[in-house]
Amino acid sequence: MFFTSKKRLLLFCLAMFVILTGCNNKKSSLEKMYETLENVAAKEKVFEEQQEPLVTLEKKEKGLYDQIIGLGMKEYDEIVKLSDEALDLANQRQEHMEQETKSIKESEKEFKKIAEIKGQIDDPSLKKLANELYDIMMERYQAHDVLYTAYTEALKSDQQLYEMFKNKNLQLEDLEGQVVKLNDSYKKVFEANESFNKLTEQYNDKKLTFYKKAELITK
């Protein structure tokens, strides 16, 4: 079923940045902060690449669903054919979701390095921003865990529905019950997605504020 795509991290172009350099070869805490945050964004490239195919698959699957419910049992063979196609699309969505989640987990592993780095920042205002940035991002990772769980459960409900369509003895009340379950599942997906998007926006805004205040960007 179709739902809004997840938002992505802001990946700044390296050419836009002026990296702070010290008088010696040892990297400053701000340099390490910058490098780690940019590595985090790079780790989510695979996550970003999953968004377009996921939405495309969701739209195709919705189209098959609409065709199925428009058919009568006299066209049972066609219902089975379309249901199998929809099941294949649902499986493909699961694969993309797994790739997305793997990318997020790699991002999280890299981001946790910030916990130590931010403690080395001397400027109180910058340290405060770094702490806020860290808290928002960790909450974002938790939000994605919720989203992954909700999306996976919704996919299972989709798959169950397509299998039900292939049952010649399907009872209307059973079908209605599954549709209610499915709608509830995607309501949870929508809510989880909204939360994740909101935290992503907050993180991107806070990151930009930190970069500007630390003079890590020229404009």
Side-chain angles (χ1 to χ4, degrees):
M1 301 300 172
F2 179 76
F3 80 106
T4 55
S5 61
K6 292 161 285 299
K7 295 193 178 176
R8 57 196 68 175
L9 279 183
L10 200 58
L11 181 58
F12 293 95
C13 178
L14 296 181
M16 293 175 61
F17 293 93
V18 176
I19 306 300
L20 296 182
T21 55
C23 297
N24 51 43
N25 292 326
K26 186 177 180 180
K27 292 180 181 178
S28 70
S29 57
L30 294 182
E31 285 180 297
K32 288 187 284 187
M33 187 86 172
Y34 165 80
E35 289 185 1
T36 302
L37 292 177
E38 292 306 299
N39 286 339
V40 167
K43 292 288 185 183
E44 293 201 15
K45 182 178 180 182
V46 174
F47 160 79
E48 296 173 8
E49 291 171 347
Q50 307 314 306
Q51 306 314 301
E52 184 174 346
L54 266 173
V55 171
T56 298
L57 288 169
E58 287 162 1
K59 288 180 177 179
K60 287 181 178 179
E61 194 175 319
K62 177 61 166 58
L64 290 175
Y65 171 81
D66 289 341
Q67 290 182 58
I68 292 170
I69 61 176
L71 296 173
M73 287 309 294
K74 289 183 179 180
E75 299 169 283
Y76 175 73
D77 290 343
E78 181 66 14
I79 289 176
V80 171
K81 175 178 175 294
L82 294 174
S83 296
D84 285 337
E85 290 178 12
L87 279 167
D88 181 61
L89 293 177
N91 291 335
Q92 290 182 51
R93 284 200 287 137
Q94 183 66 57
E95 291 175 4
H96 282 290
M97 193 62 182
E98 295 297 337
Q99 291 182 54
E100 172 184 304
T101 301
K102 181 181 178 181
S103 178
I104 289 290
K105 291 300 182 184
E106 290 175 354
S107 163
E108 182 177 5
K109 182 179 179 181
E110 179 70 16
F111 185 79
K112 285 182 176 179
K113 296 177 182 178
I114 296 296
E116 180 179 353
I117 298 172
K118 64 187 179 66
Q120 301 169 0
I121 299 175
D122 296 324
D123 187 297
S125 60
L126 286 176
K127 180 174 287 189
K128 181 175 181 294
L129 279 173
N131 284 327
E132 292 170 351
L133 187 70
Y134 185 83
D135 291 343
I136 291 171
M137 189 58 147
M138 293 308 295
E139 187 177 354
R140 176 178 178 267
Y141 290 129
Q142 292 175 8
H144 191 273
D145 287 342
V146 174
L147 176 58
Y148 172 78
T149 299
Y151 196 89
T152 300
E153 287 301 314
L155 269 171
K156 289 179 182 177
S157 294
D158 275 327
Q159 292 163 338
Q160 290 169 357
L161 178 64
Y162 301 136
E163 292 292 351
M164 290 174 72
F165 280 140
K166 295 192 290 181
N167 179 6
K168 275 188 174 181
N169 300 315
L170 176 62
Q171 300 297 310
L172 180 59
E173 60 183 29
D174 292 333
L175 178 59
E176 290 175 342
Q178 185 64 21
V179 170
V180 169
K181 178 182 176 182
L182 188 58
N183 288 338
D184 182 62
S185 294
Y186 275 99
K187 179 182 178 182
K188 292 177 181 177
V189 171
F190 178 79
E191 291 172 350
N193 189 56
E194 287 287 292
S195 177
F196 179 78
N197 285 348
K198 182 178 179 180
L199 288 164
T200 299
E201 290 178 354
Q202 290 176 4
Y203 171 80
N204 284 334
D205 290 344
K206 188 69 67 174
K207 177 181 174 181
L208 183 58
T209 300
F210 179 84
Y211 277 178
K212 287 180 177 179
K213 190 166 184 62
E215 298 181 350
L216 287 167
I217 57 176
T218 56
K219 60 180 180 179

